[in-house]
Amino acid sequence: MAELAIRKKYHVDFPELMRLYETNYVKLNALLPARGEVGHTRCYEAISMIYQLHILEITKYTTLIEICQSDQVAVFPLPTMSVRLYHDARVAEVCSADQLGRIQARYDYPNVKMVQRDEKAQLNRFLGDWLTFCLRHGISRAPLNIRQP
């Protein structure tokens, strides 16, 4: 007798997601200007690719940045995404990416846009990998201001 595959419902791994948010916060702070203001852009060149971090909004407890690739012809295109840094909690989370708009914690699958169930976790892992890449291989196109304790 053939057994039917039982599809398990996806549950967000909250502790893993929070660890990811915390490490992304630390990495992003290393790449952003020390005293950034709305409209400031920091560009990095990493292995012939140019990336931009653009500050969109600063409030008392949060900063919203947009990350995009600014190559004329992108070899490995990076999705344009907005990331919110929560300074009181010391976490950073991807809020939107390309055509998705606001990203939900989980999605039903299949869906109209064919978004993965764990799309939010995947985008935040991707952000972490990209930030690590920039920290290891990136060269800032502007002088870095070292933060004093």
Side-chain angles (χ1 to χ4, degrees):
M1 181 184 325
E3 292 184 33
L4 295 174
I6 298 172
R7 189 174 285 190
K8 293 183 180 179
K9 187 174 179 180
Y10 171 74
H11 294 282
V12 176
D13 183 354
F14 188 70
E16 190 267 332
L17 198 57
M18 288 306 294
R19 277 190 300 276
L20 190 57
Y21 290 170
E22 290 169 350
T23 57
N24 286 349
Y25 180 85
V26 172
K27 292 174 187 176
L28 263 172
N29 271 313
L31 293 171
L32 288 171
R35 302 213 191 307
E37 295 180 14
V38 173
H40 279 180
T41 300
R42 176 60 55 91
C43 293
Y44 288 92
E45 185 172 345
I47 309 176
S48 311
M49 294 175 276
I50 301 167
Y51 303 103
Q52 290 184 349
L53 291 99
H54 183 71
I55 300 174
L56 300 174
E57 172 187 285
I58 297 176
T59 65
K60 186 175 182 180
Y61 298 109
T62 68
T63 300
L64 180 65
I65 63 168
E66 180 183 67
I67 300 173
C68 65
Q69 193 167 355
S70 60
D71 296 335
Q72 289 182 359
V73 178
V75 178
F76 301 107
L78 170 75
T80 298
M81 60 180 104
S82 62
V83 179
R84 186 166 301 275
L85 289 85
Y86 298 90
H87 303 297
D88 53 344
R90 301 184 58 80
V91 295
E93 117 181 91
V94 176
C95 298
S96 65
D98 286 340
Q99 292 86 13
L100 287 179
R102 186 167 187 261
I103 302 168
Q104 298 175 18
R106 65 185 169 117
Y107 292 88
D108 291 330
Y109 190 85
N111 53 62
V112 176
K113 291 186 178 182
M114 293 306 290
V115 176
Q116 296 297 312
R117 292 177 188 201
D118 64 340
E119 191 75 20
K120 185 172 198 123
Q122 287 187 38
L123 281 168
N124 280 283
R125 278 192 295 273
F126 175 76
L127 174 63
D129 292 343
W130 179 81
L131 292 169
T132 299
F133 172 76
C134 274
L135 286 167
R136 287 187 182 155
H137 305 287
I139 299 170
S140 175
R141 293 188 150 199
L144 293 176
N145 298 328
I146 305 300
R147 295 180 187 177
Q148 301 298 322

